[in-house]
Amino acid sequence: MGKLHFPPAADLTAADKLVLGHLQKDYEQFEAKPKVSSNDSAEESDDSATKRTEFVSPSPEDTQDSEQQTIAYLKSLNNPKSDAFQITVFSTWDLPDIKNPILRKWIIDPYVRWAKGVVRTETDVIMITHLLTYLCTSVPSALYLFYNFHWWHGVIHSAVQLYYMGPYTLLMHQHIHMRGVLNKKYSFIDTVFPYIFDPLMGHTWNSYFFHHVKHHHIEGNGPNDLSSTVRYQRDSVIDFLQYVGRFYLLVWFDLPRYFLRNNKTSLALKAGGCEIANYIFLYTMYTLVNSRATIFVYLIPLALMRIALMTGNWGQHAFVDEVEPDSDFRSSITLIDAPSNRYCYNDGYHTSHHLNPLRHWREHPVAFLAQKQQYADEHALVFYNIDYFMLTVTLLSKNYEHLARCLVPMGAQREMSMEQRVEMLKRKTRRFSEEEIAEKWGKQYAKLK
């Protein structure tokens, strides 16, 4: 892997392999530059440094040309009018890798032709694949538990739902930002299916939309954000438990109150009403229908999802720049890894998402590559070989050395030693005092005495 510490994951997406490859080439090119002391350069001829170089690195022009070719290629993968256009059908397998002619002719290709007319964006056949999977597994399993409950079935059902939660949540992430994922002629289904699937996956009705779109992206992890990390020491287990606990117990109250404080009465009523309506539904199912089935079908997923949402958000916004904490480049991170990007719709490109919340999930890798120099200039953080959950766990165990090894250094970061990278990461997890919040964001956001 050259100068990067770990080998790339075998199941990286094709786009991630290209992106990581270019970052690696940049790093190798930087390391290959001859480092000659001022005394040596004065005593030797102009070409002495070149003679010491063990190999000739690509010129900046060659590297830039290669990047432009990759950007053009990635754009063509997303362009239905291009011969290179590629549809995403499954998480685990890329469509070109499915070679069996019988399987392609009689099952895969007919399915793709039908499904791409159902989704809003042709690339997104994978969303139909996931929705059909949930419809054919989660729904009948839940119904049978209410009809004929068995403990072993309940445990298996909850375990399968836990496996589904990540992909479904990021499918809904696209849904809430784009106001749907299906073709407009299927708008009724597009509107209704979240009310069926959301509770099965641990979400309360519309809470993800109101909290994430109408709140989190407005505040951008600033001090007025209910899910902000800036008032917490991000490598502290105690602070993490306080952070999760506040959301866990009080989001139903805090979110409507936030909207009321900001004179958004309609949003406050909708957010509070949907949350309370969902709790009434759960209470009714528990007391009047089947309490044991309700625990495994609805309550366990709800309990797990609330933890997962805050664990993920903690990882996404754990590193906040001490100089410009309100910069999207410096208050969020990018992950180039298999789970976040292959199985969860490129969720690792979180900085790209904050820069443009309406950007389609397939566009993130090419957008990152096109803005790579700006990411470097803005001191953005890019990691690989780690997902959000493990990043949070590693951070809470204060294993900064491992995080530093997972860092893909860009720009000035390439000049840092491993110890300097560790110190940089530690600085960016430090809690902001109220005085610092007043200085960086404004006195109106600080809780000064």
Side-chain angles (χ1 to χ4, degrees):
M1 192 56 188
K3 295 297 181 179
L4 297 183
H5 192 82
F6 302 102
D11 53 349
L12 284 180
T13 65
D16 273 8
K17 289 176 183 176
L18 291 170
V19 169
L20 190 57
H22 281 289
L23 294 175
Q24 178 186 347
K25 287 178 183 176
D26 288 347
Y27 195 20
E28 289 176 346
Q29 185 174 338
F30 174 82
E31 288 293 316
K33 289 180 180 178
K35 298 176 176 60
V36 183
S37 68
S38 57
N39 291 336
D40 289 341
S41 60
E43 294 173 0
E44 299 179 4
S45 62
D46 291 341
D47 64 349
S48 61
T50 303
K51 292 176 182 177
R52 290 182 178 182
T53 304
E54 294 181 3
F55 64 94
V56 178
S57 62
S59 69
E61 292 78 12
D62 290 339
T63 302
Q64 187 174 13
D65 184 57
S66 175
E67 281 184 9
Q68 291 306 313
Q69 291 177 10
T70 300
I71 290 170
Y73 172 69
L74 290 176
K75 286 182 177 179
S76 70
L77 292 180
N78 300 331
N79 182 4
K81 296 180 180 179
S82 169
D83 293 336
F85 177 60
Q86 213 172 95
I87 292 171
T88 306
V89 183
F90 306 105
S91 296
T92 307
W93 309 283
D94 295 323
L95 193 57
D97 295 334
I98 303 175
K99 305 294 186 182
N100 188 300
I102 297 176
L103 185 63
R104 288 296 299 262
K105 180 178 180 180
W106 297 105
I107 299 178
I108 302 297
D109 292 346
Y111 168 68
V112 169
R113 284 195 296 270
W114 167 77
K116 71 180 183 179
V118 177
V119 289
R120 184 172 300 183
T121 306
E122 280 190 48
T123 54
D124 295 352
V125 168
I126 185 175
M127 295 186 178
I128 297 297
T129 304
H130 282 173
L131 291 175
L132 289 176
T133 300
Y134 308 145
L135 182 64
C136 295
T137 56
S138 297
V139 172
S141 176
L143 290 173
Y144 192 76
L145 277 171
F146 279 99
Y147 173 72
N148 186 19
F149 179 82
H150 293 284
W151 288 106
W152 62 267
H153 183 186
V155 172
I156 293 174
H157 178 90
S158 295
V160 172
Q161 293 308 108
L162 177 62
Y163 176 76
Y164 287 162
M165 282 178 186
Y168 176 77
T169 298
L170 274 302
L171 185 158
M172 284 305 300
H173 185 245
Q174 188 72 16
H175 188 283
I176 61 178
H177 276 290
M178 306 304 292
R179 304 297 191 271
V181 295
L182 303 183
N183 190 299
K184 291 298 178 67
K185 62 184 177 181
Y186 300 106
S187 59
F188 177 75
I189 298 174
D190 214 10
T191 301
V192 169
F193 83 74
Y195 289 92
I196 299 171
F197 289 142
D198 275 11
L200 293 174
M201 302 291 179
H203 292 280
T204 49
W205 291 325
N206 295 320
S207 59
Y208 191 26
F209 168 75
F210 290 121
H211 191 283
H212 184 78
V213 175
K214 296 297 185 180
H215 168 64
H216 176 62
H217 274 282
I218 301 299
E219 299 297 343
N221 197 54
N224 207 31
D225 189 340
L226 296 176
S227 56
S228 172
T229 58
V230 300
R231 285 189 168 93
Y232 298 90
Q233 179 66 34
R234 272 91 67 193
D235 61 2
S236 165
V237 174
I238 299 299
D239 280 33
F240 174 71
L241 293 176
Q242 292 175 347
Y243 178 79
V244 173
R246 176 65 185 261
F247 178 85
Y248 208 94
L249 299 174
L250 295 176
V251 65
W252 64 273
F253 174 73
D254 281 343
L255 188 58
R257 189 175 63 161
Y258 162 84
F259 288 131
L260 287 175
R261 282 201 312 268
N262 289 275
N263 299 315
K264 298 178 180 179
T265 306
S266 176
L267 285 176
L269 293 174
K270 290 176 182 178
C274 286
E275 194 81 358
I276 292 172
N278 207 142
Y279 294 151
I280 292 173
F281 166 75
L282 295 176
Y283 178 79
T284 302
M285 297 298 289
Y286 183 88
T287 56
L288 301 180
V289 183
N290 187 322
S291 60
R292 294 180 299 174
T294 301
I295 290 173
F296 286 94
V297 172
Y298 293 120
L299 297 185
I300 290 178
L302 176 63
L304 294 175
M305 178 56 75
R306 293 268 156 121
I307 296 173
L309 287 172
M310 288 297 98
T311 301
N313 196 76
W314 185 272
Q316 289 168 343
H317 298 285
F319 301 99
V320 182
D321 188 70
E322 67 278 12
V323 179
E324 294 185 40
D326 55 346
S327 164
D328 286 326
F329 286 102
R330 301 186 182 201
S331 65
S332 58
I333 62 174
T334 299
L335 300 186
I336 303 175
D337 78 309
S340 301
N341 296 334
R342 174 166 286 281
Y343 304 104
C344 294
Y345 301 92
N346 283 329
D347 187 43
Y349 292 90
H350 199 65
T351 300
S352 174
H353 175 61
H354 268 274
L355 291 171
N356 182 1
L358 296 182
R359 183 174 286 142
H360 187 267
W361 67 276
R362 280 273 298 257
E363 299 289 341
H364 288 308
V366 64
F368 172 84
L369 200 55
Q371 291 181 277
K372 179 168 66 68
Q373 188 56 52
Q374 188 175 5
Y375 275 74
D377 294 341
E378 295 283 352
H379 307 283
L381 295 179
V382 178
F383 297 88
Y384 80 118
N385 195 59
I386 193 167
D387 61 21
Y388 290 120
F389 178 80
M390 286 309 302
L391 188 147
T392 296
V393 171
T394 305
L395 187 59
L396 295 179
S397 64
K398 301 184 189 300
N399 190 354
Y400 282 96
E401 289 75 16
H402 181 70
L403 292 173
R405 290 192 290 268
C406 291
L407 183 72
V408 183
M410 301 173 67
Q413 298 163 5
R414 296 176 299 190
E415 301 176 5
M416 295 181 177
S417 66
M418 195 61 68
E419 292 74 18
Q420 288 172 324
R421 292 173 194 172
V422 167
E423 290 306 313
M424 174 192 67
L425 295 177
K426 286 182 177 180
R427 288 197 305 272
K428 297 184 187 305
T429 60
R430 186 179 57 81
R431 181 204 318 264
F432 283 79
S433 69
E434 294 303 321
E435 290 74 20
E436 289 172 319
I437 288 174
E439 178 186 350
K440 300 295 184 182
W441 282 277
K443 292 182 178 179
Q444 67 273 27
Y445 295 107
K447 300 175 181 178
L448 297 172
K449 296 180 181 179

